[in-house]
Amino acid sequence: MVTAIVLIHAATDSIPETAQAIADIDGVSEVYSCAGDVDLVAVLRVSSHERLAEVIPGRIGKVPGVLDTVTHIAFRSYSSADTESAFDIGIDDD
């Protein structure tokens, strides 16, 4: 599984519609609208790098309202939930 974070600059007058169209693309697991340097952040989880090449320029880049994308490929995932569950032995603190 390949995870990528795609930073998306979008036309401001169509951010909700653009975000929904991106969210509807196979391989896109989440889309966030945000404040800051970019308008949308999409998280992709696909089977291969080749699939990324299909989805990002082939689908996301062609969504109306998308002006530009920057892609970051994740090497490893870290999560406090994962760490906590690794040490969970089933004892409740009630």
Side-chain angles (χ1 to χ4, degrees):
M1 182 68 60
V2 179
T3 300
I5 296 90
V6 182
L7 309 178
I8 302 164
H9 292 275
T12 55
D13 59 340
S14 63
I15 289 175
E17 297 84 5
T18 302
Q20 188 59 59
I22 294 167
D24 291 340
I25 295 171
D26 186 43
V28 176
S29 63
E30 302 160 72
V31 178
Y32 299 94
S33 61
C34 54
D37 294 339
V38 298
D39 303 301
L40 300 170
V41 176
V43 179
L44 280 67
R45 292 187 176 87
V46 295
S47 58
S48 66
H49 288 93
E50 291 79 15
R51 183 79 177 113
L52 280 179
E54 295 169 9
V55 174
I56 297 167
R59 301 286 310 279
I60 292 175
K62 294 179 180 176
V63 169
V66 171
L67 304 176
D68 190 31
T69 64
V70 175
T71 302
H72 298 268
I73 297 174
F75 294 126
R76 191 173 286 161
S77 172
Y78 300 90
S79 166
S80 60
D82 293 340
T83 303
E84 290 171 12
S85 68
F87 292 99
D88 184 15
I89 58 173
I91 298 174
D92 290 330
D93 291 335
D94 293 341

Coordinates of all heavy atoms in Angstrom, one line a residue:
M1 N 0.8 -1.2 0.0 CA 0.0 0.0 0.0 C 0.9 1.2 0.0 O 1.8 1.3 0.8 CB -0.9 0.0 1.2 CG -1.9 1.1 1.3 SD -3.2 1.2 0.1 CE -4.0 -0.3 0.4
V2 N 0.6 2.2 -0.9 CA 1.3 3.4 -1.0 C 0.4 4.5 -0.5 O -0.8 4.6 -0.9 CB 1.7 3.7 -2.4 CG1 2.5 5.1 -2.5 CG2 2.6 2.6 -3.0
T3 N 0.9 5.4 0.4 CA 0.1 6.5 0.9 C 0.7 7.8 0.4 O 2.0 7.9 0.5 CB 0.1 6.5 2.5 OG1 -0.5 5.3 2.9 CG2 -0.7 7.7 3.0
A4 N -0.1 8.7 -0.1 CA 0.4 10.0 -0.5 C -0.5 11.1 0.0 O -1.7 10.9 0.2 CB 0.4 10.0 -2.1
I5 N 0.2 12.2 0.3 CA -0.6 13.4 0.8 C -0.4 14.4 -0.4 O 0.7 14.7 -0.8 CB 0.0 13.9 2.1 CG1 -0.2 13.0 3.2 CG2 -0.6 15.3 2.4 CD1 1.0 12.0 3.4
V6 N -1.6 14.8 -0.9 CA -1.6 15.7 -2.0 C -2.1 17.1 -1.6 O -3.2 17.2 -1.1 CB -2.4 15.2 -3.2 CG1 -2.4 16.1 -4.4 CG2 -2.0 13.8 -3.6
L7 N -1.3 18.1 -1.7 CA -1.6 19.5 -1.4 C -2.2 20.1 -2.6 O -1.6 20.0 -3.7 CB -0.4 20.2 -0.9 CG 0.4 19.6 0.2 CD1 1.6 20.4 0.6 CD2 -0.4 19.3 1.4
I8 N -3.4 20.7 -2.5 CA -4.1 21.1 -3.7 C -4.4 22.6 -3.6 O -5.1 23.0 -2.6 CB -5.4 20.3 -3.9 CG1 -5.0 18.8 -4.0 CG2 -6.2 20.8 -5.1 CD1 -6.2 17.9 -3.8
H9 N -4.1 23.4 -4.6 CA -4.5 24.8 -4.7 C -5.8 24.7 -5.6 O -5.8 24.1 -6.7 CB -3.5 25.6 -5.4 CG -2.3 25.8 -4.6 ND1 -2.2 26.8 -3.6 CD2 -1.1 25.2 -4.5 CE1 -1.0 26.7 -3.0 NE2 -0.3 25.7 -3.5
A10 N -6.8 25.3 -5.1 CA -8.1 25.2 -5.9 C -8.7 26.6 -6.0 O -8.4 27.6 -5.3 CB -9.1 24.4 -5.1
A11 N -9.6 26.8 -7.0 CA -10.3 28.0 -7.2 C -11.2 28.3 -6.0 O -12.0 27.4 -5.6 CB -11.1 27.9 -8.5
T12 N -11.1 29.4 -5.4 CA -11.8 29.7 -4.1 C -13.3 29.6 -4.2 O -13.9 29.3 -3.3 CB -11.4 31.0 -3.5 OG1 -11.6 32.1 -4.5 CG2 -9.9 31.0 -3.2
D13 N -13.8 29.9 -5.4 CA -15.3 29.9 -5.5 C -15.9 28.5 -5.7 O -17.1 28.4 -5.8 CB -15.7 30.8 -6.7 CG -15.1 30.4 -8.0 OD1 -14.1 29.7 -8.0 OD2 -15.7 30.9 -9.1
S14 N -15.0 27.5 -5.8 CA -15.5 26.1 -6.0 C -14.9 25.1 -5.1 O -14.9 23.9 -5.5 CB -15.4 25.7 -7.5 OG -14.0 25.7 -7.8
I15 N -14.4 25.5 -4.0 CA -13.7 24.6 -3.1 C -14.6 23.4 -2.6 O -14.1 22.3 -2.7 CB -13.0 25.3 -1.9 CG1 -11.8 26.1 -2.4 CG2 -12.6 24.3 -0.8 CD1 -11.1 27.0 -1.4
P16 N -15.8 23.7 -2.2 CA -16.6 22.5 -1.7 C -16.9 21.5 -2.8 O -16.8 20.3 -2.6 CB -17.9 23.2 -1.2 CG -17.5 24.6 -0.9 CD -16.5 24.9 -1.9
E17 N -17.2 22.0 -4.0 CA -17.5 21.1 -5.2 C -16.2 20.4 -5.6 O -16.3 19.2 -5.9 CB -18.1 21.9 -6.3 CG -19.4 22.5 -6.0 CD -19.3 23.9 -5.3 OE1 -18.2 24.4 -5.2 OE2 -20.3 24.4 -5.0
T18 N -15.1 21.1 -5.6 CA -13.8 20.5 -6.0 C -13.4 19.4 -5.0 O -13.0 18.3 -5.4 CB -12.7 21.5 -6.1 OG1 -13.1 22.5 -7.0 CG2 -11.4 20.9 -6.5
A19 N -13.6 19.7 -3.7 CA -13.3 18.7 -2.7 C -14.1 17.5 -2.8 O -13.6 16.3 -2.7 CB -13.4 19.3 -1.3
Q20 N -15.4 17.6 -3.0 CA -16.3 16.4 -3.1 C -15.9 15.6 -4.4 O -15.9 14.4 -4.3 CB -17.7 16.9 -3.2 CG -18.7 15.7 -3.1 CD -18.5 14.9 -1.8 OE1 -18.6 15.4 -0.7 NE2 -18.2 13.6 -2.0
A21 N -15.6 16.3 -5.5 CA -15.3 15.6 -6.7 C -14.0 14.8 -6.5 O -13.9 13.6 -6.9 CB -15.1 16.5 -7.9
I22 N -13.0 15.3 -5.8 CA -11.8 14.6 -5.4 C -12.1 13.4 -4.5 O -11.6 12.3 -4.7 CB -10.7 15.6 -4.9 CG1 -10.3 16.6 -5.9 CG2 -9.5 14.8 -4.3 CD1 -9.5 17.8 -5.4
A23 N -12.9 13.7 -3.5 CA -13.2 12.6 -2.5 C -13.9 11.4 -3.2 O -13.8 10.3 -2.7 CB -14.1 13.2 -1.4
D24 N -14.6 11.7 -4.3 CA -15.3 10.6 -5.0 C -14.4 9.7 -5.9 O -14.8 8.7 -6.5 CB -16.4 11.2 -5.9 CG -17.6 11.8 -5.0 OD1 -17.7 11.4 -3.8 OD2 -18.3 12.6 -5.6
I25 N -13.1 10.1 -6.0 CA -12.2 9.4 -6.9 C -11.7 8.1 -6.1 O -11.3 8.2 -5.0 CB -11.0 10.3 -7.3 CG1 -11.5 11.4 -8.1 CG2 -9.9 9.5 -8.0 CD1 -10.4 12.5 -8.4
D26 N -11.7 7.0 -6.8 CA -11.2 5.8 -6.2 C -9.7 5.9 -5.9 O -8.9 6.4 -6.7 CB -11.4 4.6 -7.2 CG -11.0 3.3 -6.7 OD1 -11.4 3.0 -5.5 OD2 -10.3 2.5 -7.3
G27 N -9.4 5.6 -4.6 CA -8.0 5.7 -4.1 C -7.8 6.9 -3.2 O -6.9 6.9 -2.4
V28 N -8.8 7.8 -3.2 CA -8.7 9.0 -2.3 C -9.5 8.6 -1.1 O -10.7 8.3 -1.1 CB -9.3 10.2 -3.0 CG1 -9.4 11.4 -2.0 CG2 -8.6 10.6 -4.2
S29 N -8.8 8.6 0.1 CA -9.5 8.1 1.3 C -10.0 9.3 2.1 O -11.0 9.2 2.8 CB -8.5 7.3 2.2 OG -7.4 8.1 2.6
E30 N -9.4 10.5 2.0 CA -9.9 11.7 2.7 C -9.5 12.9 2.0 O -8.5 13.0 1.3 CB -9.3 11.7 4.1 CG -9.5 10.5 5.0 CD -8.5 10.4 6.1 OE1 -8.5 11.2 7.0 OE2 -7.6 9.5 6.0
V31 N -10.4 13.9 2.1 CA -10.0 15.3 1.6 C -10.4 16.3 2.7 O -11.5 16.2 3.3 CB -10.8 15.6 0.3 CG1 -10.5 17.0 -0.1 CG2 -10.5 14.6 -0.8
Y32 N -9.5 17.2 3.0 CA -9.7 18.2 4.0 C -9.6 19.6 3.4 O -8.7 19.8 2.6 CB -8.6 18.1 5.1 CG -8.6 16.8 5.8 CD1 -7.8 15.8 5.5 CD2 -9.5 16.6 6.9 CE1 -7.8 14.6 6.1 CE2 -9.5 15.4 7.6 CZ -8.6 14.4 7.2 OH -8.6 13.2 7.9
S33 N -10.5 20.5 3.7 CA -10.3 21.9 3.3 C -9.6 22.5 4.5 O -9.8 22.1 5.6 CB -11.7 22.6 3.1 OG -12.5 22.6 4.2
C34 N -8.7 23.4 4.2 CA -7.9 24.0 5.3 C -7.5 25.4 5.0 O -7.6 25.9 3.9 CB -6.7 23.1 5.5 SG -5.7 22.8 4.0
A35 N -7.0 26.0 6.1 CA -6.5 27.4 6.0 C -5.0 27.3 5.8 O -4.4 26.2 6.2 CB -6.8 28.2 7.3
G36 N -4.4 28.3 5.2 CA -2.9 28.2 5.1 C -2.5 28.3 3.6 O -3.2 28.9 2.8
D37 N -1.4 27.7 3.3 CA -0.8 27.9 1.9 C -1.6 27.1 0.9 O -1.4 27.4 -0.3 CB 0.6 27.4 1.9 CG 1.5 28.3 2.8 OD1 1.2 29.5 3.0 OD2 2.6 27.8 3.2
V38 N -2.3 26.1 1.3 CA -3.1 25.3 0.3 C -4.6 25.3 0.7 O -4.9 25.6 1.8 CB -2.6 23.8 0.2 CG1 -1.2 23.8 -0.3 CG2 -2.7 23.1 1.5
D39 N -5.4 25.0 -0.3 CA -6.9 25.0 -0.1 C -7.4 23.6 0.4 O -8.3 23.6 1.2 CB -7.6 25.4 -1.3 CG -7.1 26.8 -1.8 OD1 -7.2 27.8 -1.0 OD2 -6.5 26.9 -2.9
L40 N -6.8 22.6 -0.2 CA -7.3 21.2 0.1 C -6.1 20.3 0.3 O -5.0 20.5 -0.3 CB -8.1 20.7 -1.1 CG -9.4 21.4 -1.5 CD1 -9.9 20.9 -2.8 CD2 -10.4 21.3 -0.4
V41 N -6.3 19.3 1.2 CA -5.3 18.3 1.4 C -6.0 16.9 1.2 O -7.0 16.7 1.9 CB -4.7 18.3 2.8 CG1 -3.8 17.1 3.1 CG2 -4.0 19.6 3.1
A42 N -5.5 16.1 0.3 CA -6.1 14.8 0.0 C -5.1 13.7 0.5 O -3.9 13.8 0.2 CB -6.4 14.7 -1.5
V43 N -5.7 12.7 1.1 CA -4.9 11.5 1.5 C -5.3 10.4 0.5 O -6.5 10.1 0.4 CB -5.1 11.1 2.9 CG1 -4.3 9.9 3.3 CG2 -4.8 12.3 3.9
L44 N -4.3 9.9 -0.1 CA -4.5 8.7 -1.1 C -3.9 7.5 -0.5 O -2.8 7.5 0.1 CB -3.9 9.0 -2.4 CG -4.7 10.0 -3.4 CD1 -4.7 11.4 -2.8 CD2 -4.0 9.9 -4.7
R45 N -4.6 6.4 -0.7 CA -4.0 5.1 -0.4 C -4.3 4.2 -1.6 O -5.4 3.8 -1.9 CB -4.7 4.5 0.9 CG -4.3 5.3 2.1 CD -4.8 4.7 3.4 NE -4.3 5.5 4.6 CZ -4.9 6.6 5.1 NH1 -6.0 7.0 4.6 NH2 -4.4 7.2 6.1
V46 N -3.2 3.8 -2.3 CA -3.3 3.0 -3.5 C -2.4 1.9 -3.5 O -1.5 1.8 -2.6 CB -3.1 3.9 -4.7 CG1 -4.2 5.0 -4.9 CG2 -1.7 4.5 -4.7
S47 N -2.5 1.0 -4.4 CA -1.8 -0.3 -4.4 C -0.3 -0.1 -4.9 O 0.5 -0.9 -4.6 CB -2.5 -1.3 -5.2 OG -2.7 -0.9 -6.5
S48 N -0.1 0.9 -5.7 CA 1.3 1.0 -6.3 C 1.6 2.5 -6.7 O 0.7 3.3 -6.8 CB 1.3 0.1 -7.6 OG 0.5 0.6 -8.6
H49 N 2.8 2.7 -7.0 CA 3.2 4.0 -7.5 C 2.6 4.3 -8.9 O 2.3 5.5 -9.2 CB 4.8 4.1 -7.5 CG 5.4 4.2 -6.2 ND1 5.8 3.1 -5.5 CD2 5.6 5.3 -5.4 CE1 6.3 3.5 -4.3 NE2 6.2 4.8 -4.2
E50 N 2.5 3.3 -9.6 CA 1.9 3.4 -11.0 C 0.4 4.0 -10.8 O 0.0 4.8 -11.6 CB 1.9 2.1 -11.7 CG 3.3 1.7 -12.2 CD 4.1 1.0 -11.1 OE1 3.5 0.6 -10.0 OE2 5.3 1.0 -11.3
R51 N -0.2 3.4 -9.8 CA -1.6 3.9 -9.5 C -1.6 5.4 -9.1 O -2.6 6.1 -9.5 CB -2.3 3.0 -8.5 CG -3.7 3.3 -8.2 CD -4.6 2.7 -9.2 NE -6.0 3.0 -8.9 CZ -6.8 3.9 -9.5 NH1 -6.4 4.4 -10.7 NH2 -8.0 4.1 -9.1
L52 N -0.6 5.8 -8.4 CA -0.5 7.2 -8.0 C -0.4 8.1 -9.3 O -1.1 9.1 -9.4 CB 0.7 7.5 -7.2 CG 0.6 7.2 -5.7 CD1 2.0 7.5 -5.0 CD2 -0.5 7.9 -5.0
A53 N 0.4 7.6 -10.2 CA 0.5 8.3 -11.5 C -0.8 8.4 -12.3 O -1.0 9.3 -13.0 CB 1.6 7.6 -12.3
E54 N -1.6 7.4 -12.1 CA -2.9 7.5 -12.8 C -3.9 8.4 -12.1 O -4.6 9.2 -12.7 CB -3.6 6.1 -12.8 CG -2.8 5.0 -13.6 CD -3.4 3.6 -13.4 OE1 -4.4 3.5 -12.7 OE2 -2.7 2.7 -13.8
V55 N -3.9 8.3 -10.7 CA -4.9 9.1 -10.0 C -4.6 10.6 -9.9 O -5.4 11.4 -10.1 CB -5.0 8.5 -8.5 CG1 -5.9 9.4 -7.7 CG2 -5.6 7.1 -8.6
I56 N -3.3 10.9 -9.6 CA -3.0 12.3 -9.3 C -3.1 13.2 -10.6 O -3.9 14.0 -10.7 CB -1.7 12.5 -8.5 CG1 -1.8 11.8 -7.2 CG2 -1.3 14.0 -8.4 CD1 -0.5 11.6 -6.4
P57 N -2.2 12.9 -11.6 CA -2.3 13.8 -12.8 C -3.5 13.4 -13.7 O -4.1 14.2 -14.3 CB -1.0 13.6 -13.5 CG -0.5 12.3 -13.1 CD -1.0 12.1 -11.7
G58 N -3.9 12.1 -13.6 CA -4.9 11.6 -14.5 C -6.3 11.9 -14.1 O -7.2 12.0 -14.9
R59 N -6.5 12.0 -12.8 CA -7.9 12.3 -12.2 C -8.0 13.6 -11.4 O -8.7 14.4 -11.8 CB -8.3 11.1 -11.4 CG -8.4 9.7 -12.0 CD -9.5 9.5 -13.0 NE -10.8 9.9 -12.5 CZ -11.6 9.1 -11.7 NH1 -11.1 7.9 -11.3 NH2 -12.7 9.5 -11.3
I60 N -7.2 13.7 -10.4 CA -7.2 14.9 -9.5 C -6.9 16.1 -10.3 O -7.6 17.1 -10.2 CB -6.3 14.7 -8.3 CG1 -6.9 13.6 -7.4 CG2 -6.2 16.0 -7.5 CD1 -6.0 13.3 -6.2
G61 N -5.8 16.1 -11.1 CA -5.4 17.2 -11.8 C -6.4 17.7 -12.9 O -6.3 18.8 -13.3
K62 N -7.3 16.8 -13.2 CA -8.4 17.2 -14.2 C -9.7 17.6 -13.6 O -10.6 17.9 -14.4 CB -8.5 16.0 -15.2 CG -7.3 15.8 -16.0 CD -7.5 14.6 -17.0 CE -6.2 14.4 -17.8 NZ -6.2 13.3 -18.6
V63 N -9.8 17.6 -12.3 CA -11.0 18.0 -11.6 C -11.2 19.5 -11.8 O -10.3 20.3 -11.6 CB -11.0 17.6 -10.1 CG1 -12.2 18.3 -9.4 CG2 -11.0 16.1 -9.9
P64 N -12.4 20.0 -12.3 CA -12.6 21.4 -12.4 C -12.4 22.1 -11.1 O -12.8 21.6 -10.0 CB -14.1 21.5 -12.8 CG -14.4 20.2 -13.5 CD -13.5 19.2 -12.7
G65 N -11.6 23.2 -11.1 CA -11.3 23.9 -9.9 C -9.9 23.6 -9.3 O -9.4 24.4 -8.6
V66 N -9.3 22.5 -9.7 CA -7.9 22.3 -9.3 C -7.0 23.1 -10.1 O -7.0 23.0 -11.3 CB -7.6 20.8 -9.4 CG1 -6.1 20.5 -9.2 CG2 -8.4 19.9 -8.5
L67 N -6.2 23.9 -9.4 CA -5.2 24.8 -10.1 C -3.8 24.2 -10.1 O -3.1 24.4 -11.1 CB -5.2 26.2 -9.4 CG -6.6 26.9 -9.3 CD1 -6.4 28.2 -8.5 CD2 -7.1 27.1 -10.7
D68 N -3.4 23.5 -9.0 CA -2.1 23.0 -8.9 C -2.1 21.9 -7.8 O -2.9 22.0 -6.9 CB -1.1 24.1 -8.6 CG 0.4 23.7 -8.7 OD1 0.7 22.8 -9.5 OD2 1.2 24.2 -7.9
T69 N -1.2 21.0 -7.9 CA -1.0 20.0 -6.8 C 0.5 19.8 -6.5 O 1.4 20.0 -7.4 CB -1.6 18.6 -7.3 OG1 -0.8 18.1 -8.4 CG2 -3.0 18.7 -7.6
V70 N 0.8 19.4 -5.3 CA 2.1 19.0 -4.8 C 1.9 17.7 -4.1 O 1.1 17.7 -3.2 CB 2.7 20.1 -3.9 CG1 4.1 19.6 -3.4 CG2 2.9 21.4 -4.7
T71 N 2.7 16.7 -4.4 CA 2.5 15.4 -3.8 C 3.6 15.0 -2.9 O 4.8 15.2 -3.3 CB 2.3 14.3 -4.9 OG1 1.2 14.7 -5.8 CG2 2.1 13.0 -4.4
H72 N 3.3 14.5 -1.8 CA 4.3 13.9 -0.8 C 4.0 12.5 -0.6 O 2.8 12.1 -0.3 CB 4.2 14.7 0.5 CG 4.5 16.1 0.4 ND1 5.8 16.6 0.5 CD2 3.8 17.2 0.1 CE1 5.8 17.9 0.4 NE2 4.6 18.3 0.1
I73 N 4.9 11.6 -0.8 CA 4.7 10.2 -0.6 C 5.2 9.8 0.8 O 6.3 10.1 1.2 CB 5.5 9.4 -1.7 CG1 4.9 9.7 -3.0 CG2 5.3 7.9 -1.4 CD1 5.6 9.1 -4.2
A74 N 4.4 9.1 1.6 CA 4.7 8.7 2.9 C 5.6 7.5 2.9 O 5.3 6.5 2.2 CB 3.4 8.4 3.7
F75 N 6.6 7.5 3.8 CA 7.5 6.3 3.9 C 7.0 5.4 5.1 O 7.0 4.2 5.0 CB 8.9 6.7 4.3 CG 9.6 7.4 3.2 CD1 10.2 8.7 3.4 CD2 9.7 6.9 1.9 CE1 10.8 9.4 2.4 CE2 10.3 7.6 0.9 CZ 10.9 8.8 1.1
R76 N 6.6 6.0 6.1 CA 6.2 5.3 7.3 C 5.1 6.1 8.1 O 5.0 7.3 8.0 CB 7.4 5.2 8.2 CG 7.3 4.2 9.4 CD 8.6 4.1 10.1 NE 9.5 3.2 9.3 CZ 10.8 3.2 9.4 NH1 11.4 3.9 10.4 NH2 11.5 2.4 8.7
S77 N 4.2 5.4 8.8 CA 3.1 6.0 9.5 C 3.4 5.9 11.0 O 3.8 4.9 11.5 CB 1.8 5.3 9.2 OG 0.8 5.7 10.0
Y78 N 3.1 7.0 11.7 CA 3.2 7.0 13.2 C 1.9 7.5 13.7 O 1.3 8.5 13.2 CB 4.3 8.0 13.6 CG 5.7 7.6 13.1 CD1 6.1 8.1 11.8 CD2 6.5 6.8 13.8 CE1 7.4 7.8 11.3 CE2 7.8 6.4 13.3 CZ 8.2 6.9 12.1 OH 9.4 6.6 11.6
S79 N 1.4 6.9 14.8 CA 0.2 7.3 15.4 C 0.2 7.0 16.9 O 0.6 5.9 17.3 CB -1.0 6.6 14.7 OG -2.1 6.7 15.4
S80 N -0.3 7.9 17.7 CA -0.4 7.7 19.1 C -1.4 6.5 19.4 O -1.2 5.7 20.3 CB -0.8 8.9 19.9 OG -2.1 9.4 19.5
A81 N -2.4 6.4 18.6 CA -3.4 5.3 18.8 C -2.7 3.9 18.5 O -2.9 3.0 19.3 CB -4.5 5.4 17.8
D82 N -1.8 3.9 17.5 CA -1.0 2.6 17.3 C -0.1 2.3 18.5 O 0.0 1.2 18.9 CB -0.2 2.7 16.0 CG -1.1 2.8 14.8 OD1 -2.2 2.4 14.8 OD2 -0.5 3.3 13.7
T83 N 0.6 3.3 19.0 CA 1.5 3.1 20.1 C 0.7 2.7 21.4 O 1.1 1.7 22.0 CB 2.2 4.4 20.4 OG1 2.9 4.8 19.3 CG2 3.2 4.2 21.6
E84 N -0.4 3.3 21.6 CA -1.2 2.9 22.8 C -1.8 1.5 22.7 O -1.7 0.7 23.6 CB -2.4 3.9 23.0 CG -1.9 5.3 23.4 CD -3.0 6.3 23.4 OE1 -4.2 5.9 23.2 OE2 -2.7 7.5 23.5
S85 N -2.2 1.1 21.5 CA -2.7 -0.2 21.3 C -1.6 -1.3 21.4 O -1.9 -2.4 21.8 CB -3.5 -0.4 20.0 OG -2.6 -0.3 18.9
A86 N -0.4 -0.9 21.1 CA 0.7 -1.9 21.2 C 1.0 -2.3 22.7 O 1.4 -3.4 23.0 CB 1.9 -1.3 20.6
F87 N 0.6 -1.4 23.6 CA 0.9 -1.6 25.0 C -0.4 -2.0 25.8 O -0.3 -2.2 27.0 CB 1.5 -0.4 25.6 CG 2.9 -0.1 25.1 CD1 3.2 0.8 24.2 CD2 4.0 -0.9 25.6 CE1 4.5 1.0 23.7 CE2 5.3 -0.7 25.2 CZ 5.5 0.3 24.2
D88 N -1.5 -2.0 25.1 CA -2.8 -2.4 25.7 C -2.8 -3.9 26.0 O -2.7 -4.7 25.1 CB -3.9 -2.0 24.8 CG -5.3 -2.2 25.4 OD1 -5.4 -2.4 26.6 OD2 -6.3 -2.2 24.7
I89 N -3.0 -4.2 27.3 CA -3.1 -5.7 27.6 C -4.5 -6.0 28.1 O -4.7 -7.0 28.7 CB -2.1 -6.1 28.7 CG1 -2.2 -5.2 29.9 CG2 -0.7 -6.0 28.0 CD1 -1.3 -5.7 31.1
G90 N -5.5 -5.1 27.9 CA -6.8 -5.4 28.2 C -7.3 -5.0 29.6 O -8.3 -5.5 30.1
I91 N -6.5 -4.3 30.4 CA -6.9 -3.9 31.7 C -7.5 -2.5 31.7 O -6.9 -1.6 31.2 CB -5.6 -3.9 32.6 CG1 -5.0 -5.3 32.7 CG2 -6.0 -3.4 34.0 CD1 -3.7 -5.4 33.5
D92 N -8.7 -2.4 32.2 CA -9.4 -1.1 32.2 C -8.9 -0.3 33.5 O -8.7 -0.9 34.5 CB -10.9 -1.3 32.3 CG -11.4 -1.8 31.0 OD1 -10.8 -1.5 29.9 OD2 -12.5 -2.5 31.0
D93 N -8.8 1.0 33.3 CA -8.4 1.8 34.4 C -9.6 2.4 35.2 O -9.6 3.4 35.8 CB -7.6 3.0 33.9 CG -6.3 2.6 33.4 OD1 -5.8 1.6 33.8 OD2 -5.7 3.3 32.5
D94 N -10.8 1.7 35.1 CA -12.0 2.2 35.8 C -11.8 2.4 37.3 O -11.4 1.8 38.1 CB -13.2 1.3 35.5 CG -13.6 1.3 34.0 OD1 -13.2 2.3 33.3 OD2 -14.2 0.4 33.6

